Amino acid sequence: MKKTIKDYDLSGKKVIIRCDFNVPIENGIIKDESRLKASLKTIRYARKNNAKVILLSHLGRVQMEEDKQKYTLKPVAERLGNLLRKKVKFIAQTRGEELENAINTMKDRDVILIENTRFEDLDGKKESGNDKELGKYWASLGDIFINDAFGTIHRSHASNLGIASNLPNGIGFLVETEIKKLQKLTHKPKKPYTIILGGAKVSDKIGVISNLITKADYILIGGGMAFTFLKAAGFNIGSSICEKEKLSFCKEMLDKYQDKLILPIDVITATEMKENVQTHERFINEIEEDEMGLDIGQKTIEVFKQYLDDCKTIFWNGPVGCFEIEEFSNGTKELLNIITSTKAYTLVGGGDTARAAVTFNYQDKISHISTGGGASLAFLEEVSLPALDIIDEK
Ligand code: ADP
Ligand code: MG
């Protein structure tokens, strides 16, 4: 068992908490604050226990000087302050005198948010490349390090692995919950266990497919990735998205696991991926040359339903259609309806899948929606998670 924030006496200590404040921001307005809300429990706990709270997080990808304006964490400090009902002091730098002075004059229960850790990437990828000196420097600012950013737990960054290597450490409540919920799928999942896999590309999900196929009873394949599988199975997929270099992988998987991998039998097609376009419902041997498959069809939904109805465990990653466009959102909506009508333990992972669940208002009916996309997949694949592996055991 990993040490958690509860295993430390925080009183009077400078506690560095790595949060996941990677939220969509447009013109200074936060478009989805669920990640901020998810961080509150750990921050409140630290304050209640009289810690001096130092927060850090990344936001977006910072590749050029101009990205700084777009990806400043300043709006997060303001909104977080409202949510906490306590001023969050924003320090517009990732290192230096202003930051050090602010920390040295903190009182117990004060909260400071440091600027986007990825601003350090402009200088030789110091954050993302886990620059040793940077991790040491950030660690020198505090007494205890708590990692509560699940979304980056599979990454080796200075702000997670780097700091943790230099301070007594533990995980926060958000990471602890994620682990508990995801372990229901890695530690003897209740059977039948079915996985729904969709999304645009097979290449994003190779690890999941080859790893989870041995653990689950069935994998239902939808989304863009279904078409590489369908082509590998010998169908004409028209102009649907297809990854040629993954055809042999798909063929191999289909040969080996023909009873476990379930492909669509009909799809919704159109000649363009846009609103108000003319759509057709086609059996998969009827797709025309200039058409692409953009959602699963009604018959496929019925087939998938049969695999889902009696399940005890369901994991879903990747929308089964271009759900962002009304015309191609039906499959994803219907499957959300089906899985939330079962008695199964339902876990949804992946940024877009989570967004679909929230957009179509199923978030309260799903057992757990993981806050991490790639991180939840890496966890289920049971590959190493550097920023978690480094955390001290109890
Ligand atoms: P997640 O973020 O949940 O892991 P992905 O990023 O893998 O999901 O995939 C989501 C994207 O896949 C969506 O933007 C969706 O429009 C796209 N998609 C789904 N079905 C298709 C399809 N048939 N053709 C092209 N793109 C698709
Ligand atoms: Mg995505």
Side-chain angles (χ1 to χ4, degrees):
M1 287 265 274
K2 292 290 176 192
K3 275 196 176 165
T4 78
I5 190 167
K6 284 190 154 177
D7 293 309
Y8 290 97
D9 175 8
L10 307 180
S11 187
K13 301 273 170 51
K14 287 179 271 186
V15 179
I16 302 176
I17 308 179
R18 171 56 160 102
C19 296
D20 182 356
F21 295 147
N22 187 28
V23 291
I25 301 180
E26 276 169 36
N27 303 321
I29 313 266
I30 298 167
K31 291 289 168 190
D32 175 2
E33 56 185 34
S34 45
R35 282 188 167 152
L36 303 191
K37 288 186 174 152
S39 74
L40 294 176
K41 193 171 172 192
T42 300
I43 300 172
R44 284 192 178 128
Y45 178 88
R47 290 196 64 231
K48 198 166 160 226
N49 286 277
N50 297 319
K52 300 178 172 80
V53 182
I54 303 161
L55 306 174
L56 24 86
S57 172
H58 78 282
L59 174 62
R61 273 211 187 105
V62 184
Q63 282 155 332
M64 298 174 292
E65 197 60 36
E66 297 83 79
D67 290 336
K68 281 184 160 181
Q69 206 187 344
K70 197 158 82 192
Y71 292 126
T72 172
L73 279 172
K74 192 159 188 276
V76 169
E78 278 164 29
R79 186 66 194 122
L80 193 65
N82 295 339
L83 291 168
L84 284 170
R85 295 203 198 91
K86 160 81 189 169
K87 185 179 165 55
V88 173
K89 185 167 182 169
F90 178 67
I91 306 294
Q93 56 180 206
T94 49
R95 61 169 99 198
E97 218 172 303
E98 188 196 339
L99 172 63
E100 291 155 26
N101 287 341
I103 289 175
N104 288 333
T105 53
M106 280 178 97
K107 297 195 194 65
D108 292 353
R109 299 167 61 87
D110 275 357
V111 185
I112 278 182
L113 173 64
I114 299 180
E115 183 57 284
N116 185 356
T117 54
R118 286 201 184 156
F119 280 20
E120 290 280 347
D121 279 353
L122 287 177
D123 181 18
K125 290 223 162 266
K126 290 213 160 82
E127 154 71 332
S128 300
N130 186 22
D131 177 75
K132 295 274 174 307
E133 181 267 333
L134 180 58
K136 247 193 195 149
Y137 170 73
W138 278 334
S140 75
L141 303 173
D143 303 309
I144 296 164
F145 175 67
I146 298 298
N147 191 348
D148 210 22
F150 186 73
T152 47
I153 208 92
H154 58 317
R155 305 270 183 230
S156 307
H157 292 169
S159 65
N160 52 27
L161 180 61
I163 307 179
S165 311
N166 290 288
L167 275 183
N169 57 54
I171 53 176
F173 294 113
L174 185 154
V175 169
E176 191 184 22
T177 305
E178 287 279 5
I179 293 172
K180 268 192 202 143
K181 306 276 183 180
L182 285 160
Q183 274 176 345
K184 289 196 194 241
L185 273 60
T186 52
H187 292 29
K188 300 202 181 97
K190 286 201 179 129
K191 301 267 191 157
Y193 169 22
T194 293
I195 296 173
I196 306 169
L197 267 191
K201 294 205 245 141
V202 180
S203 47
D204 294 339
K205 313 282 161 89
I206 299 269
V208 196
I209 301 168
S210 31
N211 254 293
L212 295 189
I213 190 103
T214 55
K215 300 198 175 119
D217 295 298
Y218 301 103
I219 299 189
L220 316 178
I221 305 223
M225 74 150 84
F227 295 94
T228 306
F229 276 98
L230 287 168
K231 189 166 171 79
F235 291 99
N236 176 13
I237 56 164
S239 18
S240 308
I241 183 170
C242 177
E243 287 166 281
K244 286 204 187 74
E245 64 293 352
K246 291 293 171 281
L247 281 169
S248 62
F249 167 80
C250 291
K251 180 136 185 19
E252 208 178 290
M253 297 305 282
L254 288 171
D255 288 343
K256 204 164 164 193
Y257 299 107
Q258 53 175 324
D259 301 332
K260 285 188 146 197
L261 283 171
I262 315 299
L263 300 180
I265 55 170
D266 64 344
V267 291
I268 306 296
T269 65
T271 50
E272 282 176 281
M273 191 196 290
K274 63 171 194 195
E275 309 270 346
N276 302 320
V277 69
Q278 168 81 47
T279 64
H280 308 274
E281 191 155 32
R282 305 259 193 235
F283 281 109
I284 42 149
N285 57 1
E286 295 173 350
I287 304 176
E288 300 200 349
E289 218 44 62
D290 61 342
E291 291 176 357
M292 43 191 163
L294 296 169
D295 194 9
I296 55 173
Q298 200 57 44
K299 299 207 170 48
T300 303
I301 295 171
E302 278 154 34
V303 172
F304 283 9
K305 184 173 188 302
Q306 287 173 9
Y307 285 97
L308 295 165
D309 267 347
D310 299 323
C311 273
K312 297 245 167 56
T313 308
I314 298 170
F315 170 60
W316 185 353
N317 169 260
V320 292
C322 297
F323 74 99
E324 299 91 338
I325 300 170
E326 166 75 29
E327 279 77 1
F328 312 110
S329 61
N330 184 58
T332 301
K333 276 185 204 160
E334 288 282 335
L335 290 187
L336 278 165
N337 187 29
I338 291 167
I339 68 159
T340 52
S341 306
T342 67
K343 294 198 172 71
Y345 178 77
T346 49
L347 198 147
V348 166
D352 290 294
T353 323
R355 197 152 52 82
V358 173
T359 307
F360 302 131
N361 217 8
Y362 284 92
Q363 69 273 32
D364 298 332
K365 297 193 179 127
I366 292 164
S367 312
H368 181 63
I369 301 182
S370 176
T371 54
S376 57
L377 294 182
F379 191 97
L380 294 179
E381 283 169 40
E382 298 183 82
V383 293
S384 71
L385 304 168
L388 183 62
D389 296 341
I390 187 77
I391 299 294
D392 301 336
E393 296 288 332
K394 279 199 200 193

